[in-house]
């Protein structure tokens, strides 16, 4: 089987590593490098295990403009990037490029959309993609050709999420994850969902009617009065939530093969004052 593309949700990994590892891990300038170190370790673990044809890190704004325009509450409660994390975000593109990893940045869409676009490109080309992330939004990408490597904690390895696992977890197939999010809501993204609708009801409705549009079209015949009102009253809002939760085409090209460069990574690590990491990479070289 052909080697997979390994696509990384860089903001997700940097955040997770930042909160999982102590800020006493400092670099050359005396500032914390815990997020860079933790993210690198997570990526290297997957590179070693899966031998990808290329590694692509995705970056982008926290909230795409179109999503905020559709719903003002989207990501509205997200705190600022912590002061000790911001410089690590800034250093990330150059640092990871040293490892032979390609860094993609989108100026208006989110890292999520880049990951989704990479998955689609890989699938269309007959390849395979692995998406390393701590964000369940990416479950919508799972398919025969695309596996989500889901990080439920900051430091442990990833869990493989395939379409069957998405179905076990949410009760719906990956294609219906945006519909599911729209109905159930997603507090971490500031999306309230339909009033009174939890996971079970959302999945039941979608299994019965096939899509959010199907659920809304059938709402007039819903026998539970509160549910009927909730669906009928917030039709437009729920459709907007689905559009928000649906990954958008980032208009990118399929990345070429590119090998991980452990010597280059060691040099990048030394430059950041991450000497233990540099030594480990140099030892793995020979
Ligand atoms: Mn989300
Ligand atoms: Mn997301």
């Amino acid at each position: 089987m052909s080697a997979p593309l390994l696509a990384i949700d860089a903001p997700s990994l940097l955040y997770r590593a930042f909160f999982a590892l102590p800020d006493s891990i400092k670099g050359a300038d005396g500032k914390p490098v815990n997020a860079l170190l933790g993210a690198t370790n997570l990526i290297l673990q997957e590179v070693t295990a899966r031998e990808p044809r290329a590694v692509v890190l995705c970056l982008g704004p926290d909230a795409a403009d179109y999503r905020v325009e559709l719903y003002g509450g989207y990501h509205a409660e997200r705190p600022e990037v912590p002061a000790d994390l911001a410089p690590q975000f800034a250093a990330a593109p150059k640092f990871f490029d040293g490892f032979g990893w390609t860094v993609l940045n989108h100026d208006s869409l989110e890292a999520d959309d880049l990951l989704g676009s990479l998955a689609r490109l890989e699938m269309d080309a007959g390849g395979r993609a692995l998406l390393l992330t701590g964000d369940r939004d990416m479950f919508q990408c799972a398919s025969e050709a695309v596996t989500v490597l889901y990080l439920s904690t900051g430091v442990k390895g990833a869990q493989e999420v395939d379409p069957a696992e998405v179905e076990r977890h949410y009760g719906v197939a990956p294609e219906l994850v945006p519909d599911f999010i729209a109905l159930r809501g997603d507090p971490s993204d500031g999306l309230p969902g339909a009033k009174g609708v939890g996971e079970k009801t959302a999945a039941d409705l979608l299994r019965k009617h096939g899509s959010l549009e199907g659920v809304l079209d059938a709402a007039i015949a819903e026998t539970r009065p509160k549910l009927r009102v909730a669906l009928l009253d917030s039709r437009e809002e729920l459709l907007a939530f689905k559009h928000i939760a649906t990954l958008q085409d980032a208009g990118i090209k399929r990345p070429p093969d590119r090998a991980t460069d452990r010597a280059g990574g060691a040099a990048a690590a030394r430059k950041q004052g991450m000497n233990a990491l540099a030594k480990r990479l140099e030892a793995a070289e020979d």
Side-chain angles (χ1 to χ4, degrees):
M1 214 191 276
S2 62
L5 178 76
L6 177 60
I8 314 286
D9 187 338
S12 175
L13 263 69
L14 288 167
Y15 262 97
R16 262 153 207 276
F18 180 75
F19 289 112
L21 297 179
D23 59 8
S24 56
I25 301 172
K26 293 200 168 82
D29 55 4
K31 293 200 181 124
V33 290
N34 52 341
L36 290 174
L37 178 65
T40 303
N41 285 339
L42 288 165
I43 299 168
L44 283 171
Q45 195 176 323
E46 298 304 334
V47 166
T48 303
R50 302 174 190 277
E51 302 178 349
R53 67 170 192 84
V55 178
V56 180
L57 282 93
C58 301
L59 283 164
D62 174 63
D65 292 341
Y66 98 86
R67 293 189 170 106
V68 179
E69 275 160 32
L70 279 168
Y71 185 69
Y74 178 71
H75 282 200
E77 304 293 316
R78 291 264 173 115
E80 288 280 293
V81 181
D84 280 340
L85 179 54
Q88 300 187 68
F89 259 95
K94 211 170 162 206
F95 176 71
F96 289 125
D97 184 71
F99 288 76
W101 300 339
T102 299
V103 180
L104 293 181
N105 204 336
H106 204 283
D107 51 12
S108 58
L109 291 172
E110 297 164 34
D112 293 27
D113 301 298
L114 285 167
L115 287 161
S117 299
L118 288 169
R120 162 76 50 188
L121 286 166
E122 212 55 30
M123 190 163 69
D124 289 350
R128 286 188 301 140
L130 302 165
L131 310 180
L132 182 59
T133 182
D135 183 354
R136 289 199 182 97
D137 292 343
M138 304 315 302
F139 284 11
Q140 67 191 272
C141 298
S143 72
E144 240 172 75
V146 181
T147 301
V148 178
L149 303 176
Y150 179 68
L151 296 159
S152 52
T153 67
V155 282
K156 282 215 197 92
Q159 172 204 358
E160 285 192 19
V161 176
D162 62 5
E165 180 59 29
V166 174
E167 192 119 24
R168 267 194 296 278
H169 191 83
Y170 279 156
V172 297
E175 310 77 85
L176 286 179
V177 166
D179 307 62
F180 177 85
I181 292 173
L183 277 169
R184 181 211 54 181
D186 185 347
S188 68
D189 283 346
L191 300 177
K195 207 172 165 217
V197 173
E199 275 192 34
K200 193 185 172 304
T201 306
D204 287 348
L205 286 168
L206 288 170
R207 273 199 305 269
K208 190 164 174 204
H209 301 293
S211 66
L212 175 64
E213 289 78 0
V215 170
L216 294 171
D217 290 344
I220 190 76
E222 170 58 50
T223 53
R224 290 162 283 186
K226 276 189 188 150
L227 179 57
R228 183 172 64 240
V229 170
L231 294 173
L232 290 175
D233 279 4
S234 40
R235 183 185 172 95
E236 292 313 312
E237 203 175 45
L238 294 171
L239 289 169
F241 295 159
K242 175 175 170 176
H243 189 193
I244 287 170
T246 302
L247 298 175
Q248 302 298 307
D249 183 355
I252 51 174
K253 288 213 177 81
R254 187 176 180 228
D257 290 357
R258 188 177 173 196
T260 291
D261 178 357
R262 287 188 169 79
R270 280 216 191 278
K271 219 169 163 191
Q272 287 287 335
M274 299 158 80
N275 294 322
L277 172 62
K279 274 193 197 131
R280 246 196 303 136
L281 287 160
E282 282 155 1
E285 259 284 288
D286 29 67

